[in-house]
Amino acid sequence: DGIAIAVIVRNEAEAIGEWIRYHAAAGVDHFIIYDDGTTDETFAIAQSILTADRLTVIPWNQRLRDATKDRALHSQGLAFGHACANFACFRWICFIDVDEFLYPTIGPSLTATLADLAHADTIYLPWQMFGRQGFAETPARIIPSFTLRHRDPSASTVKGIFKIKCI
C-alpha cells in the first residue's frame, strides 16, 4: 500500500531537502534513495526531514559491465530494477531524479490522483522540459525559480527521443 519514490543520488545536498519536503507534502509515503558515492551532507539532510520508517538508503556506488558486449550497464536502471524487485510492498513506486518533481494535476495530491488510477499497472508521464531559464548555476530553490516549460511536452526530447517518467 502507499506511494514510494526511488531515486539514485550523488552529492545532492543542495537539492534533496526541497525535493523531499515537496514530495512528502504531495503524498509520498517512503523514499528509497540509492547512494552512488555521495560525499556531501545529502543523507544527513534526508535523515533530518524523514523518520527512519519513511527512508531507505541503499549503497549503489558500482559500475557493472556486460562482459559479452563490453559495455557499461546503466546504474540507474539497475537501481530501479532493484526497487521493483525489493519494494513490492508499495502499490506505487515513482522513478524520477532529484531535479524532477511530480505535480498532481487531477487531484489535490499524488495519493488522490493515483487512487483514480488504481486499475492501471503502470503510468507513463510525459517529461516536461524547463531548461536553464537563464541560470548559470542551479538556484537554491527549484520550484519558485523554474516557472517556464516548453509549451509542447512532445517536443521535450533528448537526441530526438521522447522522454517519459514512470510510476
Side-chain angles (χ1 to χ4, degrees):
D1 200 20
I3 304 169
I5 284 186
V7 64
I8 188 167
V9 302
R10 180 187 304 153
N11 297 335
E12 295 288 354
E14 292 181 16
I16 197 80
E18 178 184 19
W19 185 84
I20 287 173
R21 284 183 188 93
Y22 173 86
H23 286 99
V28 172
D29 300 299
H30 196 83
F31 294 79
I32 307 159
I33 303 179
Y34 290 85
D35 177 11
D36 190 23
T38 295
T39 59
D40 69 4
E41 297 297 314
T42 297
F43 295 106
I45 294 167
Q47 291 166 342
S48 73
I49 298 168
L50 297 168
T51 57
D53 62 324
R54 295 189 69 197
L55 174 64
T56 300
V57 176
I58 299 171
W60 204 259
N61 188 13
Q62 58 187 345
R63 298 297 176 261
L64 302 175
R65 298 193 66 76
D66 178 334
T68 59
K69 297 182 181 179
D70 192 35
R71 66 179 181 199
L73 297 174
H74 195 266
S75 186
Q76 184 180 44
L78 293 171
F80 290 170
H82 180 272
C84 287
N86 290 280
F87 293 94
C89 57
F90 294 100
R91 170 60 181 100
W92 301 105
I93 301 178
C94 310
F95 301 97
I96 63 173
D97 299 324
V98 173
D99 64 348
E100 298 168 336
F101 295 79
L102 293 172
Y103 183 80
T105 59
I106 296 173
S109 68
L110 293 173
T111 307
T113 299
L114 293 173
D116 291 339
L117 298 168
H119 62 281
D121 292 326
T122 305
I123 300 167
Y124 298 102
L125 305 170
W127 190 58
Q128 302 287 320
M129 175 55 75
F130 282 70
R132 297 296 309 158
Q133 299 193 19
F135 295 108
E137 294 184 19
T138 302
R141 295 190 59 225
I142 300 292
I143 294 172
S145 300
F146 290 87
T147 58
L148 303 172
R149 69 169 171 81
H150 196 285
R151 180 184 313 236
D152 179 8
S154 65
S156 293
T157 64
V158 174
K159 297 180 183 177
I161 299 170
F162 180 63
K163 295 294 185 173
I164 60 166
K165 292 298 169 172
C166 179
I167 300 176

